[in-house]
Amino acid sequence: MKRRKARELALQAIFQLDNHEITIEEAIGHVTEENDPFLTDLVKGTIEHKEEIDASLSDKLENWSLSRLPKIERTVLRIAVYELLYANEAPAKVVINEALEICKIYGDEKSSRFVNGVLSKYTEQ
């Protein structure tokens, strides 16, 4: 499975986990029958580090609270921040670009600009 597809499926699985009382394995099983290690890592890692990710995001959000964000943007940000802080498999530019492309598909026209603004703070030194 290509990584873009895995990221999209991770978005869908995490979205389900936020809305239903199901296990990670059930959520992944609802979005694909494939067994993809990268997808599994994204979903499990994002869920396992959710508190730390949310705290990190809250520090980067200006004039926004995490709870006010639309679910798509919040979920895309969580997955991307997991990749940036914990996975370290893909370069930051790739992670951010993938997040923006997914926002363009699942969010509205402002989603990708907003997500880009937040994620770019992770690359500033």
Side-chain angles (χ1 to χ4, degrees):
M1 174 182 304
K2 294 195 182 266
R3 292 205 167 195
R4 164 72 64 80
K5 183 68 174 171
R7 287 179 177 100
E8 288 183 36
L9 293 174
L11 171 72
Q12 294 171 19
I14 292 169
F15 208 85
Q16 285 188 32
L17 287 164
D18 283 346
N19 294 305
H20 303 287
E21 292 291 323
I22 58 176
T23 66
I24 290 171
E25 291 76 18
E26 287 173 320
I28 292 171
H30 287 204
V31 298
T32 185
E33 293 179 9
E34 287 185 57
N35 182 12
D36 184 78
F38 181 68
L39 168 61
T40 302
D41 179 62
L42 283 179
V43 176
K44 283 186 176 181
T46 301
I47 296 302
E48 289 171 3
H49 294 283
K50 185 176 174 185
E51 286 183 30
E52 298 99 324
I53 291 167
D54 286 357
S56 176
L57 279 168
S58 293
D59 290 342
K60 306 283 189 218
L61 294 173
E62 294 177 16
N63 304 317
W64 281 89
S65 66
L66 203 55
S67 61
R68 281 186 51 216
L69 292 181
K71 287 184 180 183
I72 292 292
E73 286 89 336
R74 184 172 55 231
T75 305
V76 168
L77 283 167
R78 284 175 173 159
I79 294 167
V81 171
Y82 167 72
E83 279 197 82
L84 291 170
L85 298 181
Y86 300 99
N88 299 318
E89 285 187 37
K93 283 184 174 186
V94 171
V95 172
I96 293 170
N97 186 58
E98 290 285 288
L100 299 180
E101 293 302 317
I102 291 169
C103 278
K104 289 175 185 174
I105 296 168
Y106 295 97
D108 63 26
E109 68 274 356
K110 296 179 184 177
S111 299
S112 62
R113 286 194 308 235
F114 178 78
V115 167
N116 187 42
V118 175
L119 293 178
S120 67
K121 294 177 183 178
Y122 286 89
T123 61
E124 295 172 354
Q125 297 303 329

